[in-house]
Amino acid sequence: MEANVVDHTSMWSLISNASIVVQLVMLTLVAASVTSWIMIFQRSNMLRAAKKSLENFEERFWSGIDLSKLYRQAGSNPDPDCGVEQIFRAGFKEFSRLRQQAGVDPDAVMEGVARAMRVAISREEEKLEQSLPFLATVGSTSPYIGLFGTVWGIMNSFRGLAQVQQATLATVAPGIAEALIATAIGLFAAIPAVIAYNRFAARGETLVGRYYTFADEFQAILHRKVHTSDE
């Protein structure tokens, strides 16, 4: 008798006995949770690689290497994870192209370089922001979706009670328990998504800040280079 009660109140039994609507809600939340976890691991690896490649490139950049040589090395063996390398290549390419044109004003050269690097930074920002909207959506909507499943399940439980002459706690408990599972799954999906969103957004902003800092320092070097050669 006791074993039978345990079986009916087990997690799997509560889920399998839930109504179709509640089961669909649970399935949606589980799918959202699995997808968000996949994105969390992917974004975590990507951000880690981006930070490491940024530090490696900055070490090479400030080692005193000739910029033309560094540009050729970056072009022959590009690192797709290195955002600062893409910014460097875009700026130096525009710098070299404009310098080869006769009669180009140095300020016009620097404006072109700044514009090219801004475009490159914007592209890197888009890469860093990928998956963040989905994580934000999962984090903000999952509790409400789970709450909807809970409300629906409780409504069904009370509807079923109307057909019973004598209502007891044993009669009500399974229906309420299966309804509350939807809220629990919703929170299980939302909490990691919110934490990951905040963490990735902060790390992305830090990387973008370092991109802008590098771009400013690189512009200063090119500014001295273009004005010194014209004197």
Side-chain angles (χ1 to χ4, degrees), residues 106-120:
D107 291 335
V109 173
M110 294 312 303
E111 288 177 5
V113 170
R115 186 166 51 250
M117 287 198 290
R118 279 198 303 270
V119 172

Side-chain angles (χ1 to χ4, degrees), residues 84 87 117 121 210-220:
V84 73
I87 297 165
M117 287 198 290
I121 292 174
R210 294 184 65 175
Y211 291 163
Y212 276 108
T213 300
F214 172 82
D216 292 339
E217 294 171 338
F218 186 38
Q219 276 184 255

Side-chain angles (χ1 to χ4, degrees), residues 124-145:
E124 295 306 315
E125 282 187 274
E126 291 178 0
K127 291 181 184 178
L128 294 174
E129 291 173 357
Q130 288 178 357
S131 304
L132 289 184
F134 180 83
L135 292 176
T137 301
V138 172
S140 60
T141 61
S142 292
Y144 296 104
I145 296 174

Side-chain angles (χ1 to χ4, degrees), residues 1 10 20 24 43 74 86 116 127 135 140 149 173 198 208 226:
M1 182 74 174
S10 66
I20 296 297
L24 288 175
R43 302 309 296 173
Q86 311 305 321
K127 291 181 184 178
L135 292 176
S140 60
N198 292 331
V208 171
V226 71

